[in-house]
Amino acid sequence: MNQAAENIYFNPWDPAFRANPYPHYQPLLAGPPRILDLFGATGMVARYTDVTAVLRDHAHFSSVRPRDPSEPPNEGPFAGARTMLFSDPPMHTRLRRLVSRDFTPRRIREMEPRIREIAKNLIDAAARKGEFEVMRIANALPVMVIAEMLGVPPDHYEQFKHWSDVVVSGDNTLPGTPLPDEFHAATKSLRDYFAEEIERRRRNPGADLVSALVAAHDGAEANTEIMTADELLAFVLLLLLAGNETTTNLIGNGMLALGQHPAQMDLLRQHPELMPRAVEEILRYDGPVQSTIRFTTEAVNLGGTAIPANLGCFIIVAAANRDPAQFADPDRFDISREPRDHVALGEGIHFCIGAPLARMEGAIAIGAMLERFPRLRIKNPNAEIVYKGSYFLRGLNSLSMSID
Ligand code: HEM
């Protein structure tokens, strides 16, 4: 595998690569899937047609990492328990069904007034003389919303937001390097915290998601096919981790794109009815999830490339969203673009279950900021933009904007 000969540089652990991965996707988009050496052979799937083909083919491209029995136990937040994100049918179907009714567009619409209220309060609190920090709102809103859905008291949110940030940034650790102590401490705290929350809801059930999951688990205790105790905890953690950082980064990346394209921001102010399209364009142009991962179950030919069995593959949705074969002038940020089915929220059976919620939170937060601050612009347009420590989940550390 000669990355240099093809002019491919793919190193998600390099801060410079993370700061702007998009030029590095272009050589990948110019040809069939490659197999590169990233601490071991890894499939690189970037073209839109290849990415959608993989995401629709869970039989050949599994979400379950093959494990060598001699490997040490899993150190991640789910401690090896299966979750819907990292499972295949029929397990995936069973787990997903447990919460699918809580994420329907109708259910999510019922939450709209409350989300608006939270956004307004956060913006009021963040406005300082002449400037405000977008990430204060972007960090707080999704975690407060998911905390309410999970029935967790709002005054705990900062604590578990911190743990969840540390856990998410763990994926920036170089393969083969031990995970930092901070990661282990945050993982343990998050697990202990939610193990206690589960017990609290078992004693005192409410109308929240954790109570519903506890009831599904306890009602089927004799039948561990439904959900084991470890899976129950992993399920709650998945909802928190998957829904939190991603939506934060939709809001942050979105405000950055609008700030860097003032004419588009003006257009959106003049035509607020473009907001749903603007949210889709933000997801396409600079999505919070850069890549997901699949593992081949057997040897397979993908787009002309022979991929061996049991190979881990990066399915780079953010590259597919810049594929010129699917999107005209893909590097242009254009909120009035005709929708062309981006894959920022996935595709197929694992399509993001939180999509209606994420879209609504993004639209409300961005809309409320534009409405509240008519002269919004990036405070230091020439300052370096610093990204957080995860390649897979792309988001800003901070984004200061001037408001007058
Ligand atoms: C803009 C924000 C979001 C983005 C960009 C996003 C992106 C994604 C993507 C790409 C997948 C598919 C992963 C794969 O196929 O491997 C996914 C799945 C998932 N998302 Fe989201 N997500 C967002 C918000 C949310 C929210 C708000 C929640 C929940 C509260 C959530 C919960 C989940 C869950 C549970 C899955 C796994 C679904 C399954 O495996 O069937 N996400 N998301």
Side-chain angles (χ1 to χ4, degrees):
M1 251 77 56
N2 187 348
Q3 294 198 33
E6 272 207 286
N7 200 18
I8 290 178
Y9 177 70
F10 194 94
N11 180 0
W13 299 281
D14 171 356
F17 178 96
R18 283 209 308 279
N20 187 6
Y22 298 105
H24 301 295
Y25 295 155
Q26 281 169 7
L28 287 170
L29 287 168
R34 298 331 125 81
I35 299 175
L36 301 183
D37 190 359
L38 305 181
F39 294 90
T42 308
M44 292 283 134
V45 183
R47 291 185 304 194
Y48 185 89
T49 46
D50 298 327
V51 164
T52 49
V54 166
L55 296 179
R56 288 173 190 154
D57 182 3
H58 58 82
H60 291 102
F61 293 92
S62 166
S63 296
V64 183
R65 185 164 84 85
R67 290 189 77 81
D68 176 340
S70 63
E71 267 182 63
N74 189 309
E75 297 180 306
F78 308 125
R82 291 157 300 183
T83 63
M84 74 176 118
L85 183 57
F86 299 115
S87 61
D88 296 329
M91 163 95 48
H92 170 264
T93 321
R94 167 171 77 67
L95 290 171
R96 184 158 172 136
R97 200 178 291 141
L98 288 172
V99 286
S100 50
R101 66 170 187 276
D102 294 293
F103 285 94
T104 56
R106 192 177 59 82
R107 272 288 176 94
I108 299 305
R109 269 198 305 276
E110 287 167 11
M111 297 170 60
E112 184 172 347
R114 179 68 189 125
I115 298 175
R116 280 194 192 287
E117 187 185 330
I118 299 176
K120 184 182 175 305
N121 293 342
L122 286 170
I123 293 173
D124 287 346
R128 297 249 177 285
K129 243 181 143 206
E131 67 181 277
F132 95 114
E133 172 52 55
V134 171
M135 297 314 288
R136 277 190 64 179
I137 290 143
N139 280 327
L141 178 73
V143 75
M144 289 176 83
V145 171
I146 195 75
E148 281 205 11
M149 286 182 86
L150 294 173
V152 169
D155 49 324
H156 294 174
Y157 86 82
E158 255 181 57
Q159 180 61 78
F160 65 69
K161 171 70 181 159
H162 169 71
W163 293 327
S164 109
D165 285 352
V166 175
V167 170
V168 163
S169 67
D171 72 31
N172 198 37
T173 309
L174 280 174
T177 320
L179 285 155
D181 290 347
E182 198 196 9
F183 173 88
H184 293 294
T187 301
K188 183 173 182 320
S189 304
L190 203 54
R191 287 182 62 85
D192 289 351
Y193 179 85
F194 276 100
E196 237 175 72
E197 281 295 301
I198 286 170
E199 278 318 308
R200 192 163 72 78
R201 240 51 66 68
R202 187 165 273 137
R203 290 191 302 272
N204 190 10
D208 57 88
L209 259 172
V210 175
S211 300
L213 290 170
V214 169
H217 168 260
D218 294 0
E221 202 148 30
N223 176 5
T224 45
E225 275 302 290
I226 301 290
M227 190 164 30
T228 64
D230 276 353
E231 284 169 15
L232 169 61
L233 177 58
F235 207 130
V236 173
L237 294 175
L238 173 67
L239 290 176
L240 179 73
L241 294 174
N244 197 344
E245 187 62 17
T246 45
T247 314
T248 290
N249 294 342
L250 165 63
I251 299 168
N253 298 359
M255 291 304 288
L256 177 66
L258 290 166
Q260 289 175 330
H261 300 85
Q264 295 288 304
M265 195 195 279
D266 287 347
L267 182 67
L268 187 53
R269 282 186 197 287
Q270 285 149 21
H271 295 279
E273 73 282 2
L274 283 177
M275 183 59 89
R277 276 200 187 187
V279 168
E280 297 315 305
E281 178 64 351
I282 292 163
L283 286 166
R284 183 197 73 80
Y285 178 78
D286 195 16
V289 175
Q290 291 289 295
S291 176
T292 180
I293 295 186
R294 292 293 188 272
F295 304 90
T296 46
T297 54
E298 53 183 291
V300 55
N301 184 305
L302 180 71
T305 301
I307 304 194
N310 292 323
L311 190 75
C313 300
F314 278 34
I315 315 302
I316 313 171
V317 290
N321 286 336
R322 299 278 190 117
D323 185 344
Q326 177 71 9
F327 302 99
D329 201 358
D331 295 328
R332 186 164 49 91
F333 178 66
D334 175 2
I335 62 165
S336 49
R337 198 180 269 278
E338 282 291 322
R340 290 275 289 160
D341 292 344
H342 66 71
V343 281
L345 296 158
E347 167 75 34
I349 59 166
H350 291 278
F351 179 77
C352 178
I353 201 168
L357 177 61
R359 287 173 161 139
M360 179 189 281
E361 286 185 52
I364 289 177
I366 293 170
M369 287 187 245
L370 296 192
E371 198 175 297
R372 174 74 196 275
F373 306 119
R375 280 185 291 283
L376 204 53
R377 65 199 179 282
I378 293 179
K379 190 163 167 239
N380 300 313
N382 298 323
E384 191 196 353
I385 296 163
V386 181
Y387 282 86
K388 284 184 258 190
S390 164
Y391 160 69
F392 293 95
L393 300 184
R394 173 175 175 76
L396 302 169
N397 253 337
S398 75
L399 178 61
S400 188
M401 295 193 94
S402 302
I403 55 179
D404 56 25

